[in-house]
Amino acid sequence: MKLLFKNIKELLQVRSEPITWVAGEAMKTLPSIQNAFLCIEDDLITDFGKMADCPQKSFDEIIDATGKMILPAWCDSHTHLVFAGNREGEFVDRIKGLSYEEIANKGGGILNSAQKLNQTSEESLFEQSAKRLEEVMQLGTGAIEIKSGYGLTLEGELKMLRVIKKLKESYPIEVKATFLGAHAIPATYKDDKSGYLKMLIEEAMPRIAQEKLAEYVDIFCEKGYFSIEDTELILAAGKQHGLIPKIHVNQFTVMGGVATAIKHQALSVDHLKELEDADIEALKGSSTMPVALPSCSFFLGIPYTPARRLIEAGLPLALATDYNPGSAPSGNMNFVVATACIKMKMTPEEAINAATLNGAYAMGLEKELGSITIGKKANLILTKAISSYAFIPYSFGENQIEKVYIKGKIAP
Ligand code: NIG
Ligand code: FE
């Protein structure tokens, strides 16, 4: 199947040479071609350039994109999209004045979701999650990472990971799975955190490795959840089972988790709402991607990741949704990009770089996705007719997407 998009008003994130990530000053540039064409063949990008050089050969379909733009589909590198039910009761409690911590302390939060998940069948969990996955694809997401972490029992965690695997097999979107057994201490291990960690390491990890259920390992490194020592333990054990770290760190408290993650060659450190200069120094020269999750800051009313400090230190930054029932019940990457511009003072160029190429890196997909490059997967957003790409974050809460293509086909 050969497809030609012609008369594209502006083709964004064009990289002739593949690059691994965009950092610092370079994030200010979003390379593009105005009045462009783009060819795809089956699931791959095969050619692009200026309309003056548009090939004349025969195509199965020609799409006239006059007035419209094309950019790579969003790469959402941090989600908890597989969950059971919702937590809008807690949302109302927070409106009335309770904090996230107070809600968690009275049995809400992650433990509330874990209880719901363990009472839900694998089939129902798949159906609920598939609906969310279809919705985010329509919103322009072409690659997604999904974590476990609402099971908190051996069976519950394996059930979540099997659902993620089934989503991967059922949809064209690229899915990466992360084992987040160390998300909270379940009630059954209330006074026995080390017993819980032992179960995760000795029972869950070997099963996950054997059944190839996850690529990554995560831990909620946070006061009241898991310490630096716990993080060391989980990341070292993960390594032995071939699981690469991507961790929750500095959401509410700085504990030194950034340096620990880097020591263990984490692919990403996510949240970073709180950030000390030592964290920035630790990130310099590392191969770890900092990831900001602005929807969580928005929803909980907590600080935003200081994007300007990170970028001005020469570091890269990725943006992701954190889609989950407690702190970010939205998988909308368009909202993330807009919020990054509005609240974190990222320019549209920086935000689009962060939500495409850098997001792809944070899932180990930078060779296949995240830019318009020959040989990469044809995961694309075709916008409606818009005046400029800055209109995408500017018109926050609106949808500027006309069609989404995943591996060369219109998203289901
Ligand atoms: O990334 N911080 C830990 N995990 C999620 C929230 C989980 C929940 O509240 O259900 C997050 O914000
Ligand atoms: Fe998260």
Side-chain angles (χ1 to χ4, degrees), residues 363-384:
M363 289 185 272
L365 290 170
E366 72 281 5
K367 292 200 175 73
E368 292 141 67
L369 290 168
S371 66
I372 304 294
T373 304
I374 292 174
K376 280 198 175 183
K377 294 268 185 302
N379 284 15
L380 310 166
I381 292 172
L382 172 67
T383 70
K384 297 175 183 167

Side-chain angles (χ1 to χ4, degrees), residues 78 80 87 100 110 150 183 220 248 251 271 322 324 326-327:
H78 180 139
H80 309 247
R87 301 204 325 246
Y100 183 80
I110 297 166
Y150 290 125
H183 197 191
F220 189 15
H248 281 75
Q251 182 172 1
H271 273 299
D322 197 18
N324 78 74
S327 70

Side-chain angles (χ1 to χ4, degrees), residues 168-179:
K168 199 186 290 208
E169 291 162 356
S170 310
Y171 290 95
I173 182 171
E174 209 63 57
V175 176
K176 294 283 186 178
T178 300
F179 174 49

Side-chain angles (χ1 to χ4, degrees), residues 312-349:
E312 272 144 36
L315 293 168
L317 182 62
L319 288 166
T321 62
D322 197 18
Y323 194 2
N324 78 74
S327 70
S330 158
N332 188 343
M333 279 296 283
N334 306 285
F335 179 80
V336 165
V337 168
T339 310
C341 295
I342 297 162
K343 294 290 187 185
M344 293 160 61
K345 303 288 174 225
M346 291 175 77
T347 63
E349 292 80 6

Side-chain angles (χ1 to χ4, degrees), residues 169-232:
E169 291 162 356
S170 310
Y171 290 95
I173 182 171
E174 209 63 57
V175 176
K176 294 283 186 178
T178 300
F179 174 49
L180 175 57
H183 197 191
I185 300 148
T188 42
Y189 284 91
K190 196 167 167 282
D191 300 310
D192 184 19
K193 185 174 70 173
S194 58
Y196 182 58
L197 291 171
K198 193 164 170 333
M199 185 282 280
L200 296 179
I201 292 168
E202 292 178 10
E203 294 181 53
M205 282 191 191
R207 287 279 299 272
I208 290 163
Q210 194 190 358
E211 295 177 37
K212 294 197 171 43
L213 288 173
E215 282 94 2
Y216 303 117
V217 64
D218 194 348
I219 181 166
F220 189 15
C221 178
E222 182 60 52
K223 202 172 93 205
Y225 292 84
F226 295 97
S227 66
I228 295 292
E229 293 68 41
D230 303 334
T231 304
E232 291 274 3

